Each structure stands twice: as structure tokens, then as C-alpha cells.
Amino acid sequence: MKDKYPLWQTSGWTFGMLLVIPILAIFYTALGASDQLFSHLMDTVMGTYTLNTLGLVFGTSLLAAVFGLPAAWLMAMCRLPGEKWLQWALVLPLAMPGYIIGYIYTDWLDYAGPVQILLRDWFGWQSYQDYWFPDIRTLGGACLVLALVLYPYIYLLARTAFMEQSASLLQSARLLRCSPLESFRRISLPLARPSIAVGLSLVAMETLGDFGTVSYFAVHSLTTAVYDTWLGYSNLNAAAKISALMLLAIFLLISAERFSRRRQKLFQQHNGLNEDVRYTLSGWKKVMALVWCWGLIGFAFVLPLLQLMYYAWHYFAQSWTAEFRDYTLNSLMVSVSAALLAVLVALLVNFYNRLDGRPASLAPMRMSAMGYAVPGTVLAIGVMIPLTSADHLLNDFTRAMDWGRPGLVFSGTMFAMIFAFVVRFGAVAVGSVESSLAKISPSLDMAAKTMGCASVSMLRRVHLPLIRRGCLIAGLLVFIESMKELNAALLLRPFNFETLATYVFNYASDEQLELAALPAILLVLVGLIPLVVINRSLEQSH
């Protein structure tokens, strides 16, 4: 059947294919000729890297569940003083980059840090041989730091699941004299397992893709192996093979998440939870609940932020430099460009699906959203492969035409970073625009067509004014995520080009976090914006 909207079909499929090319390029390169370096890595250190990665993912997921699940149940099922503040404050650690938390806690807990100095002064110890203190620069330390910043994923999903559980079940448990702990263990927790599984998969994917924290803690994971293989050995083929292994692991995590969501649709009941069934804690139980929730907020957000503010205040003159202002402008340029392009792509693929309506028109939307599950380090490999080939083709063509050699137009400029950010965060824009368009009645489309509006005119005059807020939110979220992205920026930045994220990482890696405190605070403040949006949407839905 001939397509009625050839312009939208061509645009939708073109952009959908462009955004999925990096993922295909990784597998295409990985399935190529065997690589001697990769074979050597497989025979020597790859087993250690894999075990470290599995331990990191498992340990972080376990600790994030230990932190997030009790807080989620307390916020959903109990009355606590200051609960309106606690509900959104427990999400704040998501705004704090994990590697910054790692640097701060390492500074506090190392042998020369204030904690051990205070202990030696109290007990009269003279050297590290006189006492034992856990080493923060280990796999366990990395798990703890990542869990502190990632537990809100589990908290948000589990709290929503607890609030949507049937009130009659909880009232029945109370009539049967179940204690709050028994109610949590025997009713709330089993019913919320699908949502908890989704949260755990998100934590696992974020942990698998982390580079800044594991690099600083000297934990050799698959992510650091990709980075070292590419930049240390200049071997893109071996890096692609390792990246393909990571993508397969991510595919398994996504499959588990899809399966758990399917179970949730079948078995989860969505009866609203009335305020009457919440427990009123008193005495030591209330004190312990408040200590747990505020303690999480303090250790994961407030104390590190206060440390950054202390550094920024005392080292303001050294931090407020021309470099800081230039790198801020660099971040703004790249992030604004990525946000505008991501919103444009989201509009094209979503509107094509709305006009066409056939199942095949969903494919460009799904392809545009695939990059969100890919870690930034892996995605950088996928972006560099096709862009390097494009540069070679362009230079060969211009040389054949006697036009000279333009050099690295795609892979050696900001274009590579912007393209990577659009691939990585395009799913955020696609989802936001999709939800906005879904609220517009199809009758408006029919009325516009009856009045002779072409598809482009209908988008401009009917849909855009109605989805303006959704587009703004989509652009804002992509902008914020691009500002904070470290992994892809480290690998794809042009020569002598820094963003705020790489600027902070470089200073902190050199043990000079005090000079990076000002840009780090800026990154944290930028990261707070989507959390405010999330909190407002949760308040509106409940």
C-alpha cells in the first residue's frame, strides 16, 4: 500500500535509523576479524574485569534496595513529622554525580582524612598498624557510594507501588493483628516485587555504565576496560568487542525488566490507598524511622553538598577563572544543541506515528529510544565508528575532487558529542512528546483535515501549541542530562575542549576537588531541576 505521508515516513525512518546506527556499528565491528589484543585480554584480565563488574552490580543493587525499600514503605504507609519534605528530599541524591560523592568520602575516610585523624587523637594511636579501619578505595566502597546516589530509583518505583496497593488488603492485615513489619514483609513487599525489579534493573544499568566512580576507586570493570582499550591501546576493534559484551548484558537486564512489567500488569491491583490505613508510629519506632530517612538524605546529599560549598567559598578566587567560564559556555552550547535536536527528532517520529497509525510506524520511535539503555562509554565507541568512516569518505571525496582535505569534520568536533547526547537521551524527549500527543483527541486531527490543513500546517497550528509544555520539558530534561554526562564527553570531546563534567572529573582525579567545587555545585543545581519535575508529577498523580 502506498504511504499517504511520504515526507513524514522518510523523515521518521531516517532519524530513527541514524540514532540506531551506533548500536549496530558496535556489533558489526565486534563480529569482524579477531583481534590479538582482545584475545590477550580474554586470556589474562577479562575474567577479573567481569567478576568485578558482576560484584559491583550485585553489591550496588543490594545496598540500593536496603537503602530505598524501607524509606519507600515508610513514606507510603506511615505518618511521620515533616513527611512532605521527606518525600521529595529522599530523591535529591540523584542530582549528585556518583564520582563527586566518591571523591568527598575518600577525602573524609582516608588515612589522612579528618575521620581517622580524629580517631587517632581520641585513642592515642600512632600509625595505621595500631588499628583497623575499612578501606574506602575498594569494590565495597564503590558499591556503597553508587548505592547512595542510585537508591532513589528503587525508592520512587517502590513508593508508587506501595501507594497503589489495595487498601482492603492492608485493612484486613490490621484486623488480623499483623504488625507493621509483618504487613510490610507478607503483603506490601510481595505485591511490589515487579516495580522493585524494574528499579533494580535501572540501578544495575546505571552501575554497569559508571566510569567516574570506578575509575577513581581503581576498580577494574568492563567500563574501564573499554576506556583503557580505546585510549590506552588505541584499539577500537577490541573496545567494540568489550562493548558488545556489555550490550548483551544490558539486553538481559532490559528483558528482565520487561518481564517484570508484564507480571505487574497481570497481577497488580491499582486501588487507591486511603490515608486512613497508614500507620502512626510513636516512640522509638518513629525516632528510628526519622533517623533512617534523614540519615540517607544527610549522607547522600546534604553533607557532600556542604563540603562542596565550603570548598567553593574558600577557593572561590582560584575557581572563578576564565577556564571555568569558557567550559560553562562549552557545556551550554553542546547541551542546548542536543536538546533542540532531540526535541526535533521526537516531534518527527511521534507525529509520523500519529498520522500513519500502523504498527510499522512505531519502529522509528522505538529505534530513537534504544540509546538510553547504552552506557556513555559504550555509546562513544558506537558513535566514533560510523563518524570516523564518514570522515574518511568525506576526505577521500574532497581529495578526488581536488578540494583539499577538510580533516575530522564529524569525529573531531562538537558534532560527535552532540550526536552522542541525542542518541543517549533521545528516549527522554520521545517519551515526553509521546505522552503529550496522546492527550490530544484524534477528533482535532479530523477537524483539521476537514478544513483542508496539510500535515505540516496541522502540526504547526494545532498540535504544537497544545504540546508546547511537553516539548519544553523534553528539551529541559535532555539539556540537563547532557550537562551532566561524563563518559561520552571524556571520549568524544575535541582537543582542548572541556565541559563542566570533564572539568570536575579532571580536577578531582588530580586530588584537587576544592578547585572543582564551584562547577560541581553548578552541576548539582542543574540536576535538581528534573527532580522537582518528578516530584510535582508524583504529587499530581496521587
Side-chain angles (χ1 to χ4, degrees):
M1 183 176 66
K2 186 177 179 180
D3 196 272
K4 296 183 291 184
Y5 305 100
L7 173 64
W8 295 103
Q9 182 189 38
T10 303
S11 301
W13 280 97
T14 299
F15 282 100
M17 288 300 298
L18 281 175
L19 296 190
V20 82
I21 280 176
I23 300 174
L24 299 177
I26 291 174
F27 286 106
Y28 177 79
T29 305
L31 294 174
S34 60
D35 185 89
Q36 186 175 1
L37 175 61
F38 180 75
S39 300
H40 175 70
L41 292 175
M42 290 295 294
D43 294 336
T44 54
V45 298
M46 193 58 70
T48 302
Y49 286 0
T50 303
L51 288 176
N52 284 345
T53 302
L54 292 175
L56 185 71
V57 171
F58 176 79
T60 303
S61 301
L62 178 63
L63 287 174
V66 170
F67 294 156
L69 284 177
W73 188 81
L74 289 170
M75 288 297 98
M77 299 294 185
C78 301
R79 297 186 184 94
L80 292 173
E83 60 187 26
K84 289 187 177 180
W85 290 94
L86 273 173
Q87 287 174 2
W88 67 267
L90 283 163
V91 190
L92 292 178
L94 273 181
M96 187 72 70
Y99 56 91
I100 293 178
I101 296 280
Y103 302 144
I104 291 174
Y105 273 97
T106 300
D107 187 50
W108 288 346
L109 300 177
D110 262 350
Y111 180 80
V115 174
Q116 293 201 47
I117 290 176
L118 185 63
L119 289 176
R120 289 196 294 271
D121 291 341
W122 277 356
F123 296 102
W125 295 326
Q126 300 299 319
S127 67
Y128 70 92
Q129 296 176 341
D130 297 335
Y131 66 100
W132 176 86
F133 193 86
D135 186 7
I136 187 68
R137 295 177 186 259
T138 59
L139 178 64
C143 292
L144 176 63
V145 166
L146 289 172
L148 283 174
V149 298
L150 295 178
Y151 81 84
Y153 284 116
I154 296 176
Y155 163 76
L156 284 170
L157 290 166
R159 175 174 169 252
T160 302
F162 291 148
M163 294 178 71
E164 291 176 346
Q165 288 174 2
S166 172
S168 60
L169 285 176
L170 300 171
Q171 290 169 341
S172 300
R174 184 170 296 182
L175 290 174
L176 293 172
R177 297 188 178 182
C178 280
S179 67
L181 182 60
E182 288 178 326
S183 176
F184 168 73
R185 182 176 59 85
R186 301 175 64 179
I187 297 176
S188 298
L189 191 61
L191 288 175
R193 277 185 298 183
S195 294
I196 295 170
V198 175
L200 286 171
S201 68
L202 291 174
V203 171
M205 285 190 288
E206 290 290 335
T207 305
L208 187 63
D210 179 82
F211 172 76
T213 307
V214 296
S215 174
Y216 184 74
F217 279 61
V219 176
H220 298 293
S221 66
L222 292 177
T223 304
T224 59
V226 172
Y227 188 88
D228 294 338
T229 303
W230 184 1
L231 295 188
Y233 296 99
S234 301
N235 193 315
L236 196 60
N237 185 276
K241 292 181 183 297
I242 300 173
S243 300
L245 294 176
M246 295 180 66
L247 286 179
L248 290 176
I250 291 170
F251 174 77
L252 294 176
L253 289 173
I254 294 176
S255 299
E257 185 264 345
R258 298 287 184 187
F259 178 75
S260 63
R261 184 176 295 179
R262 179 185 65 85
R263 291 182 61 192
Q264 186 179 27
K265 289 180 180 178
L266 286 173
F267 300 116
Q268 181 71 15
Q269 297 181 4
H270 296 283
N271 296 334
L273 179 63
N274 295 324
E275 188 177 352
D276 295 337
V277 302
R278 292 193 302 164
Y279 295 99
T280 300
L281 300 182
S282 59
W284 67 270
K285 293 181 180 178
K286 182 172 73 172
V287 172
M288 291 297 295
L290 291 173
V291 168
W292 181 262
C293 293
W294 284 113
L296 279 177
I297 299 166
F299 285 109
F301 184 79
V302 176
L303 292 177
L305 182 60
L306 290 175
Q307 180 70 79
L308 290 176
M309 294 172 67
Y310 173 83
Y311 284 150
W313 176 260
H314 285 83
Y315 294 90
F316 182 82
Q318 296 94 317
S319 301
W320 186 260
T321 61
E323 287 184 342
F324 168 61
R325 295 189 290 272
D326 291 341
Y327 298 156
T328 302
L329 291 176
N330 289 344
S331 293
L332 289 174
M333 285 191 299
V334 172
S335 302
V336 168
S337 301
L340 292 175
L341 285 174
V343 172
L344 176 62
V345 171
L347 281 172
L348 289 173
V349 297
N350 274 287
F351 197 63
Y352 165 55
N353 177 61
R354 184 179 180 91
L355 290 174
D356 189 281
R358 290 178 295 178
S361 63
L362 277 171
M365 291 175 56
R366 300 295 175 254
M367 289 190 294
S368 301
M370 286 180 64
Y372 191 69
V374 182
T377 307
V378 174
L379 182 61
I381 301 290
V383 166
M384 187 56 66
I385 292 170
L387 292 189
T388 303
S389 300
D391 276 331
H392 284 304
L393 290 175
L394 178 62
N395 280 268
D396 291 342
F397 175 75
T398 54
R399 185 173 56 180
M401 300 296 292
D402 292 329
W403 293 345
R405 295 172 64 91
L408 301 177
V409 176
F410 300 111
S411 60
T413 63
M414 284 195 306
F415 179 85
M417 293 178 62
I418 294 171
F419 181 46
F421 292 167
V422 173
V423 175
R424 178 86 165 86
F425 306 118
V428 177
V430 170
S432 181
V433 174
E434 181 182 9
S435 62
S436 298
L437 277 176
K439 298 175 184 177
I440 300 176
S441 173
S443 60
L444 290 178
D445 298 27
M446 299 176 188
K449 292 176 183 178
T450 302
M451 298 177 68
C453 275
S455 56
V456 176
S457 178
M458 182 168 60
L459 174 62
R460 179 175 58 86
R461 301 174 62 182
V462 178
H463 294 86
L464 278 180
L466 295 174
I467 64 172
R468 182 172 61 247
R469 183 174 179 272
C471 291
L472 287 174
I473 292 176
L476 181 64
L477 293 177
V478 174
F479 168 80
I480 292 163
E481 293 292 341
S482 300
M483 287 281 290
K484 295 164 50 183
E485 175 62 27
L486 171 67
N487 297 0
L490 277 175
L491 295 174
L492 296 174
R493 57 185 169 166
F495 293 112
N496 298 321
F497 187 94
E498 300 283 352
T499 64
L500 283 178
T502 61
Y503 183 60
V504 172
F505 177 78
N506 290 335
Y507 265 120
S509 298
D510 295 335
E511 306 290 345
Q512 293 180 307
L513 182 61
E514 60 274 5
L515 299 180
L518 192 61
I521 290 175
L522 182 57
L523 287 177
V524 172
L525 294 179
V526 168
L528 289 176
I529 298 175
L531 301 184
V532 174
V533 174
I534 292 172
N535 183 64
R536 291 188 62 182
S537 64
L538 287 176
E539 288 179 349
Q540 292 172 0
S541 60
H542 299 290

